[in-house]
Amino acid sequence: MARSLVKKSTFDLCLIRTSSSLSYLAPIYIQTDITPFRGKEFFVYNSSKVLIYDIFCKKPLNFRLRYLCNSVTPRSLCWEGSSHYILLKNLETYLRNHQVDEAWEAFTDFKKLYGLPDDHLLSRFITELSYTREPKWLQRACDIILILPKKKSNSLHFDQLYNLSLSLARTQMPIPVSMILRIMIEKDNIPPTNLLGPVMLHMVKKEIGTYLVSNVLIQICDLFQHSGSNRCTIKPDTAIFNLVLDSCSRYNLSFKAQQIIELMSQMGLVGDAYTIITIARIHVVNGQRDELKKFKSCVDQVAGYLGHHYFQFYDNLMSLHFKFNDIDSVSQLIFDMISLTGTQKGPHKPFLIPLGSPNLKKGLKLQVLPHFLPENSSVKIERNEGFVTHKNRRLVFTNKTLAKLFVGYKRAGRISELSKVLCRIQTENGRAEMNINDLSADVIDACIHVGWLETAHDILDDMEQAGNLPNTDSYASLLTAYYEGNKHREAESLLKQIRKIGITISDDMLKPTVSGKSSDLVTCLIQEMEKGDINCSVYEFNSSIYFFMKAGMIDDALKTYKSMQRMNIYPNVATYMYMVMGYSSLEMYRDITILWGDIKRRFDDGDLMMNVDLYEVLILNFLKGGYFERVMEVIGCMKRDGIYGDKWLYKSEFLKFHKDLYRKLKVSDGRTEAQSRRVEHVKAFRKWAGID
């Protein structure tokens, strides 16, 4: 009876496993020649045969599938051995078939029950997520790596971490990229420059990526410098530095760039023509004219035939001369540009450019090869229409330069000197893009256009005395302007002057004769007149503070800073950066807290625009000094301004100096109110930085 019942029995709750690694509950039909069984576990290894293992006798029993339903959803198992095995097999199969969604579910289920899978399977899973190129999966791959314990993180190979970092960079996810790169640095798996370059190239496309990649580059160089051996494989090359410096100049991270320039010198790298151009941009933003002037002598030697590349160098240097209201230096720079020759000399050796004062015995020096223009550089020299441009590989100053120079001389009451400058330019045939005789005519016509008739007449007189006779149109234009302005007395005086030098003015010439070429000059002249006087005091004071701080002359720097306050000259970000870096070099952290009070007042009054460079240097110094209340204040200001802080950097700095500080102490355990507040701020920072 029992045997006949078995013949007709169909067991609907037998667990099977197919070749697709999916678990099902499928009905099976038992053959008539087998005995009843108790507590069996069933596994299907293919679609045609199922092996049944008796739990007690451990013998396989043969049966045939009546049908197999592929649409049944996998169910969780109630016994440990089976679920562990099946979940792993599921994960393996999903990975093999590139089913990322299903693989993530299987991984999540396994992790909840048993923790992380073995190293090999985990590596395969992370690799699969890395190749998706989808932000969601890339972020999850990064999250998995970040939660790995140290012993498991060692199982991740270089290729896996690098591929993930490159995928993250291509997807414009700079924050997780920096995390992966830093894990590689900690594991001593730093990519060589040919691999590091592509990752950084994608990161610097955004401001936050530039900020983070700068800190990563500093970290790599720090490891190289302290490695104790010549490890060329991890030494970033000049191309990497150029890429980061160029991006820093683009996003106004000028003081971070200044730190990298000094680091480039410490690493013993040799800069090229792109390095010099990028450094010039950075010095302009920081107002460091003296620093940029140090490069001029070596650039002058090659600019004659590389004017198409170095026009921006002279543009930036001229911009700084104008910032310092130094019109004499502007004139001299124009003469220097005129005298540049276009011949290439013999072999070039690296020039040594001092960083900081050249009188400092311990100052750094940067090696540069101004003639070397690498091919396929990632740094692009963009043409601009500033103060200097180029034509036929020659340097040419623009009408904007001429207008600004003109206004500068006029405000100083030095028109006769301006005339001498114009005469010298004409004599040396410097204005290559137009007939040289038109230069004085342009200036005179511009003066007439804006109503400076007396100035125009003075320039005419100066040009005559110098033997550079202006053209007839200039006399005619000025005479017409006198008549139109009912200045008959001045017109009669000019007519006598015209007859004396033998020029004939017909009635047809007595009409406005401003040439088309002068229109741009007139426009530039009007714009400069509207800007008003230039206050260059802050740049001059900053230059002094920078020099004193670099020389360790802290008292002189402080006196200069207080002089600015007495004269109501508002310090800018550069002022405070130089002050903080000077104090930091002498470990005077308490003085930085006092300076922070001034910074906050200036910021609250709207007299100061903060940036990430200043915020970062403040936090790092407050962490070193143990001023955690100030740390949290700065972090609060960054949050308010929407500025991203490099938590990884701040966390590392904290662990370097205060690893176990108040780790187990509660706020209520403080012996004094001051200590309780300190504990509270330390706890707040540890929480913000993700230490606890």
Side-chain angles (χ1 to χ4, degrees), residues 168-187:
L168 288 165
R170 285 172 173 166
T171 319
Q172 290 299 295
M173 300 172 67
I175 296 176
V177 175
S178 66
M179 294 179 178
I180 298 301
L181 287 177
R182 280 160 162 165
I183 288 174
M184 298 178 74
I185 294 172
E186 291 177 353
K187 291 166 59 64

Side-chain angles (χ1 to χ4, degrees), residues 7-18:
K7 292 179 182 180
K8 299 178 181 180
S9 295
T10 300
F11 294 87
D12 293 325
L13 297 178
C14 296
L15 177 66
I16 64 173
R17 181 172 176 82
T18 68

Side-chain angles (χ1 to χ4, degrees), residues 180-206:
I180 298 301
L181 287 177
R182 280 160 162 165
I183 288 174
M184 298 178 74
I185 294 172
E186 291 177 353
K187 291 166 59 64
D188 203 15
N189 262 342
I190 302 174
T193 54
N194 64 319
L195 297 180
L196 187 62
V199 176
M200 290 187 167
L201 185 62
H202 289 289
M203 289 186 71
V204 299
K205 293 177 181 178
K206 289 186 176 181

Side-chain angles (χ1 to χ4, degrees), residues 184-433:
M184 298 178 74
I185 294 172
E186 291 177 353
K187 291 166 59 64
D188 203 15
N189 262 342
I190 302 174
T193 54
N194 64 319
L195 297 180
L196 187 62
V199 176
M200 290 187 167
L201 185 62
H202 289 289
M203 289 186 71
V204 299
K205 293 177 181 178
K206 289 186 176 181
E207 180 178 353
I208 187 172
T210 298
Y211 167 60
L212 290 171
V213 86
S214 301
N215 286 340
V216 169
L217 178 60
I218 293 170
Q219 188 177 352
I220 291 173
C221 293
D222 183 67
L223 178 63
F224 177 83
Q225 290 176 304
H226 295 90
S227 61
S229 60
N230 186 21
R231 304 170 62 189
C232 296
T233 56
I234 68 167
K235 182 178 180 179
D237 59 11
T238 300
I240 293 288
F241 274 85
N242 285 349
L243 175 67
V244 177
L245 286 173
D246 176 65
S247 188
C248 284
S249 70
R250 196 182 327 126
Y251 292 113
N252 203 25
L253 297 172
S254 54
F255 296 99
K256 178 68 67 177
Q258 189 172 324
Q259 183 181 0
I260 293 173
I261 293 170
E262 295 180 358
L263 191 60
M264 190 174 183
S265 169
Q266 295 169 2
M267 296 286 287
L269 296 175
V270 180
D272 53 36
Y274 291 106
T275 311
I276 295 173
I277 291 297
T278 308
I279 289 176
R281 294 174 184 161
I282 293 161
H283 285 329
V284 166
V285 177
N286 292 342
Q288 294 178 321
R289 183 172 65 152
D290 291 337
E291 292 298 301
L292 186 56
K293 285 165 65 175
K294 297 172 186 176
F295 289 85
K296 185 176 178 298
S297 60
C298 70
V299 172
D300 283 344
Q301 297 189 26
V302 298
Y305 61 90
L306 290 177
H308 64 289
H309 175 82
Y310 278 111
F311 76 94
Q312 283 198 2
F313 173 85
Y314 292 92
D315 182 87
N316 290 320
L317 183 55
M318 192 169 288
S319 175
L320 282 171
H321 288 326
F322 280 126
K323 277 187 177 182
F324 281 79
N325 200 22
D326 189 353
I327 53 178
D328 292 323
S329 292
V330 172
S331 300
Q332 185 59 51
L333 184 58
I334 291 175
F335 302 147
D336 293 342
M337 289 164 50
I338 293 172
S339 63
L340 292 173
T341 60
T343 57
Q344 184 172 0
K345 298 180 181 179
H348 297 271
K349 295 181 180 179
F351 289 84
L352 288 176
I353 309 298
L355 303 180
S357 172
N359 299 321
L360 299 178
K361 294 181 179 179
K362 297 182 180 179
L364 297 172
K365 292 185 178 181
L366 178 66
Q367 300 181 74
V368 293
L369 287 172
H371 70 283
F372 181 53
L373 277 168
E375 296 181 359
N376 302 322
S377 173
S378 57
V379 179
K380 302 301 179 185
I381 304 300
E382 300 176 358
R383 185 184 180 93
N384 66 347
E385 297 299 332
F387 299 112
V388 179
T389 183
H390 65 92
K391 186 175 182 180
N392 299 325
R393 290 182 174 262
R394 288 182 60 86
L395 298 172
V396 180
F397 64 89
T398 64
N399 280 326
K400 182 178 179 180
T401 303
L402 188 58
K404 206 170 184 66
L405 185 66
F406 190 0
V407 172
Y409 274 116
K410 189 175 189 313
R411 284 175 177 161
R414 300 167 57 187
I415 294 300
S416 60
E417 294 179 51
L418 172 63
S419 301
K420 292 178 182 178
V421 170
L422 296 176
C423 288
R424 182 173 173 181
I425 293 174
Q426 289 190 167
T427 302
E428 298 184 13
N429 197 23
R431 206 165 191 202
E433 81 277 13

Side-chain angles (χ1 to χ4, degrees), residues 643-654:
I643 296 178
Y644 174 79
D646 190 354
K647 289 187 180 182
W648 192 293
L649 175 64
Y650 305 147
K651 175 182 176 180
S652 300
E653 199 72 9
F654 176 87

Side-chain angles (χ1 to χ4, degrees), residues 494-513:
L494 182 59
L495 276 173
K496 291 179 182 179
Q497 185 177 343
I498 291 171
R499 294 189 189 104
K500 185 177 180 181
I501 60 178
I503 296 177
T504 302
I505 302 293
S506 64
D507 292 337
D508 293 338
M509 298 176 66
L510 294 179
K511 58 183 180 181
T513 57

Side-chain angles (χ1 to χ4, degrees), residues 7-12 26-30 50 63-69:
K7 292 179 182 180
K8 299 178 181 180
S9 295
T10 300
F11 294 87
D12 293 325
I28 55 176
Y29 177 71
I30 307 301
V50 179
F63 66 96
R64 296 173 183 166
L65 288 176
R66 177 180 297 175
Y67 62 87
L68 177 63
C69 179

